[in-house]
Amino acid sequence: MLLAIWREFENEKLAHAYLFTGEKGVGKRTFARTLAKAILCQGEGERPCGGCRSCKRFEGGTHGNVYFPAPQPKKTTIGVDDLRSILDELSRAALDGGKRVIVINNAEKMTPASQNCLLKTLEEAPEGIYFLLVTDVERAILPTIRSRCRLVRIAPWNDGRIYKALTDKGINPERAKELTALCEGSIGRALQMQDDETYWTDRELVQRSFLMVRAMTDVPVASQLLKDRKDDAERLLEILEQEMRLLASDIKQSGVSTRSFFPEHWQRATVQSLCRIQDAILKCKQYKFSNVGWMANAENLMMTIAEEARRWRQ
């Protein structure tokens, strides 16, 4: 799909608006930025050339013909005013008489009102103006906007491609293999995990606490490891949830899992048990919105794990 778009660019047949969707970290933003740079490039031959005045200004953040609407400081949404000032500017002639590109990263942050404001411009499709919308949440984009953009769904990377990209960056093969298994097709997520040392220490804690529970008698000791980690609760639960999801996927595909991260007794787990544990994780995530404390919630989750482990042994 991305190669087809690049051919359209080379043949000067680009649509006036694209909506790039897909999981976080699959390269949507990188591709949109590269395409924007290529559209504005004034070099000869392959574009973006990287050496012309336009490319240098683009990389330096000083190009007057590219726009990146974003929420104002202390705001979480892209409001009408954020967008209208740019759209009004589009009604005037471009600097240097060239093409113009609007790249809207996190397009799901546009309010309904700002999306409707954008819709009017998309309907008119001004000559020489290109809209590149990028989002992780396709359903947050109004159907009227989606219908006026060329929808490009970017699939997760396959394991071989991710592993090669990681090793090409100098990451040792064992760590690259582990990251490939964990990132769920997202090269961005893999690189983020590689650079985040606290992720690996938190992952080890999840292994020593939640995953070591085999019976109800293990709960008091395991829960004590989490006593002072209330502020990190959401992250720990996300790591545990991710591991449950990956283990369930392994079991669905081959009936067993060889993931060394899990203690041996987890090899008997069933998909149904893992789904029940995931439900318990979701309930535990909601502790901030209740009067039940972190430790009580963590222990309740561990008791669910202990009950499921009991079933595996039967």
Side-chain angles (χ1 to χ4, degrees), residues 206-207 210-211 234-246 261-262 266 277-278 281 301 305:
V206 166
Q207 185 183 51
F210 292 108
L211 298 189
E234 188 170 354
R235 180 185 177 97
L236 295 172
L237 293 172
E238 285 177 354
I239 292 172
L240 178 61
E241 186 176 34
Q242 178 191 42
E243 293 293 345
M244 294 296 109
R245 191 165 58 246
L246 292 170
F261 179 71
F262 286 87
W266 283 87
I277 292 172
Q278 285 179 308
I281 294 171
L301 174 54
I305 293 172

Side-chain angles (χ1 to χ4, degrees), residues 21-31 106 134-136 154-158 161-162 165-166 183-192:
T21 73
E23 296 294 325
K24 290 182 179 179
V26 295
K28 304 182 299 297
R29 291 164 183 77
T30 300
F31 183 82
N106 302 312
V134 182
T135 183
D136 304 327
I154 301 179
W157 292 26
N158 62 50
R161 186 182 175 196
I162 288 178
L166 294 174
C183 73
E184 300 176 276
S186 169
I187 183 62
R189 186 179 300 152
L191 293 171
Q192 184 180 37

Side-chain angles (χ1 to χ4, degrees), residues 86-272:
I86 292 174
L87 298 180
D88 287 346
E89 191 170 334
L90 295 178
S91 65
R92 297 188 287 273
L95 295 173
D96 303 329
K99 298 172 182 177
R100 286 176 285 183
V101 186
I102 298 85
V103 182
I104 308 179
N105 289 315
N106 302 312
E108 72 279 0
K109 293 186 177 182
M110 288 190 293
T111 63
S114 62
Q115 291 192 50
N116 283 319
C117 179
L118 174 64
L119 180 62
K120 296 177 182 178
T121 304
L122 290 178
E123 288 173 338
E124 296 170 0
E127 186 70 26
I129 297 178
Y130 300 89
F131 293 87
L132 308 180
L133 282 63
V134 182
T135 183
D136 304 327
V137 191
E138 182 181 330
R139 65 182 179 277
I141 307 302
L142 294 177
T144 48
I145 295 286
R146 295 202 301 265
S147 68
R148 287 163 177 78
C149 296
R150 181 166 176 194
L151 180 60
V152 182
R153 294 190 176 99
I154 301 179
W157 292 26
N158 62 50
D159 287 355
R161 186 182 175 196
I162 288 178
Y163 179 80
K164 184 178 186 305
L166 294 174
T167 52
D168 284 350
K169 287 183 174 293
I171 297 173
N172 75 69
E174 282 304 313
R175 174 58 67 87
K177 182 179 179 181
E178 193 168 21
L179 287 167
T180 299
L182 288 169
C183 73
E184 300 176 276
S186 169
I187 183 62
R189 186 179 300 152
L191 293 171
Q192 184 180 37
M193 289 189 293
Q194 167 64 13
D195 294 336
D196 186 357
E197 285 304 320
T198 60
Y199 168 81
W200 298 99
T201 57
D202 287 346
R203 187 166 178 257
E204 181 184 359
L205 177 59
V206 166
Q207 185 183 51
R208 292 189 294 114
S209 55
F210 292 108
L211 298 189
M212 291 306 296
V213 172
R214 296 171 57 94
M216 294 294 181
T217 53
D218 296 328
V219 172
V221 175
S223 66
Q224 284 301 302
L225 296 173
L226 305 174
K227 183 174 60 175
D228 300 320
R229 301 302 299 272
K230 178 180 178 179
D231 292 342
D232 304 313
E234 188 170 354
R235 180 185 177 97
L236 295 172
L237 293 172
E238 285 177 354
I239 292 172
L240 178 61
E241 186 176 34
Q242 178 191 42
E243 293 293 345
M244 294 296 109
R245 191 165 58 246
L246 292 170
L247 181 59
S249 177
D250 283 357
I251 294 173
K252 283 180 182 177
Q253 291 179 15
S254 59
V256 295
S257 176
T258 57
R259 291 178 59 75
S260 59
F261 179 71
F262 286 87
E264 186 176 352
H265 67 278
W266 283 87
Q267 293 180 11
R268 300 182 183 181
T270 65
V271 173
Q272 293 78 11

